[in-house]
Amino acid sequence: MSIDAERLRKTHEQLKADAEAGGYHLNPDAEWTLGLVEGLLTNEGRYGYPACPCRLASGKKEDDLDIICPCDYRDPDLSEWGACYCALYVSDEVLDGKRALQAVPERRPAKRERRAPEPQAAAGIRLWRCRVCGYLCAREEPPGVCPVCKAKRDRFEPFVLPPSAIPVT
Amino acid sequence: MSIDAERLRKTHEQLKADAEAGGYHLNPDAEWTLGLVEGLLTNEGRYGYPACPCRLASGKKEDDLDIICPCDYRDPDLSEWGACYCALYVSDEVLDGKRALQAVPERRPAKRERRAPEPQAAAGIRLWRCRVCGYLCAREEPPGVCPVCKAKRDRFEPFVLPPSAIPVT
Amino acid sequence: MSIDAERLRKTHEQLKADAEAGGYHLNPDAEWTLGLVEGLLTNEGRYGYPACPCRLASGKKEDDLDIICPCDYRDPDLSEWGACYCALYVSDEVLDGKRALQAVPERRPAKRERRAPEPQAAAGIRLWRCRVCGYLCAREEPPGVCPVCKAKRDRFEPFVLPPSAIPVT
């Protein structure tokens, strides 16, 4: 499928604006990034959703939800490797040239181990609180910057709920 | 009260920008929407707060808090009906023409049943987590898109807190 | 250290845009604000992080984390005094001329009392929920406006988790 150049440019721009607004960054290598965006648009046309261009989608949406871009693995990969699996998203350190890009190993579990949503938090997930604005999120590591107030990662603390938030049973 | 055209235009623009930034959409029918914004500004002048233009405000702010626009009922109505009670806000599906607008029944409880803030979550409220970025919110249904990373509704999961977040008593 | 005028202007613009996007406001007194931004850039150059220009930084990052701007004390000070310690950030009421600026007493504890991150919420921190969009945060008081949907402070309620969010032990 051939992607219209104007549509490609606009999608790239929108992705970039959304990324920056949330404290994320697209890879500044424009050629690389445009190639990935083209792959996203191709998958959008083929499957009806923008599956990760660097993985093989099944075409069954409920089996591919975790690899719809941005995938469930982007943020842990940004924390650990400085980039997502495709290197479409990169961390501050990579953007600033303080860290080199490297191959990112596949973090997605084999299909049989993929967790169905269950009534408990996945292993490794913790509650984090921004000490500046009180933003709460549930992740393995805190985000690079607070999406609300833009404070940096080191302003987050692991959070234990105040007893006032716990229902009396 | 007559509303200045310039003020009307600016308020509409600001509402629209705020809506889009948070993943919401104003009704694209400009005439309809401007009429509602005019109603909001009229109520702002009359009561000192922008009470819902499609409901009868009491004029006593503490009794009207739930119908200050956007009202407490907008998001459940967007999930269930694709629009808020006034059709000032519409869902993605309505915006994209995949769902028709219809009359939205009044969800606001009669006054005697309106819940005073109490030390427990309202019935139907659950914790939702965006699997992409870890954003947490407490609602009946997940939002249409994640306000932080723009992932779509189907990337949210019901969330159970990790034991590390629960205080030891 | 002398700060380049262009860099000063750009930093000020970015700070302002970030503030507004999150529902915060810089002091509209441009001369005052630019002086503080210059102090932030000076500290950035001196210490490697933008420590509060109105306090004496130690130069040891782990001891200064709480006073990297915006500091941990900004939001409680905005709630109580209408401005942060430096008056770099001001509240809606101050911006609208409904409240006068006044000296803000130092809220930072003496070093020996500064809390190391501990496995419990700090005293006074509560969970707050925006009744409009379900945004959750953990602070002493709710924010001036919801950073997600821009609802005002009086739309927040103290939040007690639904039992469905509590892990069964």
Side-chain angles (χ1 to χ4, degrees):
Chain A
M1 181 180 323
S2 120
I3 303 293
D4 176 73
E6 178 62 9
R7 190 172 162 227
L8 184 58
R9 195 189 57 74
K10 278 201 175 159
T11 306
H12 176 246
E13 229 167 57
Q14 185 63 49
L15 266 189
K16 197 175 165 194
D18 283 349
E20 295 294 331
Y24 295 94
H25 311 289
L26 294 193
N27 191 325
D29 178 337
E31 199 181 344
W32 181 259
T33 301
L34 282 169
L36 292 168
V37 175
E38 189 168 359
L40 287 172
L41 287 172
T42 301
N43 283 348
E44 173 89 52
R46 187 181 287 152
Y47 304 122
Y49 47 88
C52 174
C54 306
R55 290 169 168 123
L56 192 61
S58 74
K60 226 173 117 185
K61 192 174 181 183
E62 64 263 37
D63 291 343
D64 293 340
L65 277 176
D66 60 324
I67 55 165
I68 292 179
C69 184
C71 70
D72 286 9
Y73 314 106
R74 176 188 64 174
D75 286 21
D77 280 337
L78 282 171
S79 290
E80 190 168 348
W81 305 104
C84 72
Y85 186 59
C86 293
L88 175 59
Y89 290 91
V90 299
S91 70
D92 280 313
E93 291 76 23
V94 167
L95 193 72
D96 297 347
K98 291 179 190 155
R99 181 174 184 175
L101 275 180
Q102 54 182 317
V104 173
E106 175 60 289
R107 176 186 296 272
R108 191 187 194 200
K111 192 177 169 187
R112 65 181 182 287
E113 293 160 24
R114 258 169 246 153
R115 197 175 68 84
E118 272 163 38
Q120 62 174 62
I125 299 280
R126 304 170 71 179
L127 226 53
W128 297 97
R129 173 182 178 263
C130 172
R131 292 176 67 102
V132 176
C133 73
Y135 174 73
L136 290 175
C137 54
R139 308 163 43 106
E140 293 184 24
E141 300 288 339
V145 303
C146 173
V148 166
C149 75
K150 311 299 177 200
K152 294 204 184 140
R153 168 173 304 215
D154 51 15
R155 309 299 291 281
F156 276 83
E157 62 184 3
F159 187 59
V160 174
L161 292 155
S164 62
I166 308 294
V168 180
T169 48
Chain B
M1 184 181 318
S2 121
I3 303 293
D4 177 71
E6 178 62 10
R7 190 173 162 225
L8 184 58
R9 196 189 58 73
K10 280 201 175 158
T11 306
H12 176 247
E13 230 168 55
Q14 184 63 48
L15 266 189
K16 196 175 165 191
D18 283 350
E20 295 294 330
Y24 295 94
H25 311 289
L26 294 193
N27 191 326
D29 178 337
E31 199 181 344
W32 181 260
T33 301
L34 282 169
L36 292 169
V37 175
E38 188 168 0
L40 287 172
L41 288 171
T42 301
N43 283 347
E44 173 89 51
R46 188 181 287 153
Y47 304 122
Y49 47 87
C52 174
C54 307
R55 289 169 168 123
L56 192 61
S58 74
K60 227 173 118 185
K61 192 173 182 185
E62 64 263 37
D63 291 343
D64 292 340
L65 277 177
D66 60 325
I67 56 164
I68 292 178
C69 183
C71 69
D72 286 9
Y73 314 105
R74 176 188 65 174
D75 286 21
D77 280 337
L78 283 171
S79 291
E80 189 168 348
W81 305 103
C84 71
Y85 186 61
C86 292
L88 175 59
Y89 291 90
V90 299
S91 70
D92 280 313
E93 292 76 24
V94 167
L95 192 72
D96 297 347
K98 293 180 191 156
R99 182 175 184 175
L101 274 180
Q102 54 183 311
V104 173
E106 175 59 288
R107 176 185 296 274
R108 190 188 196 201
K111 192 177 170 185
R112 65 180 182 287
E113 293 160 24
R114 258 168 247 154
R115 199 176 66 86
E118 272 163 37
Q120 61 174 61
I125 298 281
R126 303 171 71 180
L127 226 53
W128 296 97
R129 173 182 178 261
C130 173
R131 292 176 65 101
V132 176
C133 74
Y135 174 72
L136 291 174
C137 55
R139 307 161 45 105
E140 294 184 23
E141 300 289 338
V145 302
C146 173
V148 166
C149 75
K150 312 299 178 200
K152 295 204 182 138
R153 170 174 304 216
D154 51 15
R155 309 298 291 281
F156 276 83
E157 62 184 3
F159 187 59
V160 175
L161 292 155
S164 63
I166 308 294
V168 180
T169 47
Chain C
M1 183 181 318
S2 121
I3 303 293
D4 176 73
E6 178 61 9
R7 189 171 162 228
L8 183 59
R9 196 189 57 76
K10 280 201 176 159
T11 305
H12 176 246
E13 231 168 56
Q14 184 63 49
L15 266 189
K16 197 176 166 192
D18 284 349
E20 295 294 331
Y24 294 94
H25 310 289
L26 294 192
N27 192 326
D29 178 337
E31 198 180 345
W32 181 259
T33 301
L34 283 168
L36 291 169
V37 176
E38 188 167 1
L40 286 173
L41 288 170
T42 301
N43 284 347
E44 173 89 52
R46 187 181 286 154
Y47 303 122
Y49 46 87
C52 174
C54 307
R55 289 168 168 123
L56 192 62
S58 75
K60 225 173 119 184
K61 192 174 181 183
E62 66 262 38
D63 291 343
D64 293 339
L65 277 176
D66 60 323
I67 56 164
I68 292 178
C69 184
C71 69
D72 287 8
Y73 313 105
R74 176 188 64 173
D75 286 21
D77 280 337
L78 283 171
S79 290
E80 189 168 349
W81 305 103
C84 72
Y85 187 60
C86 292
L88 174 60
Y89 292 91
V90 299
S91 70
D92 279 314
E93 291 76 24
V94 166
L95 192 72
D96 296 346
K98 292 180 190 155
R99 182 173 183 176
L101 275 179
Q102 54 182 312
V104 173
E106 175 59 288
R107 177 185 295 273
R108 190 187 196 203
K111 192 177 170 186
R112 66 181 181 285
E113 293 161 24
R114 259 169 246 154
R115 198 176 66 84
E118 273 163 37
Q120 62 174 64
I125 299 281
R126 303 171 72 180
L127 225 54
W128 297 97
R129 171 181 179 263
C130 173
R131 292 177 67 101
V132 176
C133 73
Y135 173 74
L136 291 175
C137 55
R139 308 161 44 105
E140 294 184 23
E141 299 290 337
V145 302
C146 172
V148 166
C149 75
K150 313 298 178 200
K152 294 204 183 139
R153 168 173 305 214
D154 51 15
R155 308 299 291 281
F156 276 83
E157 61 183 4
F159 187 59
V160 174
L161 291 155
S164 63
I166 307 294
V168 181
T169 48

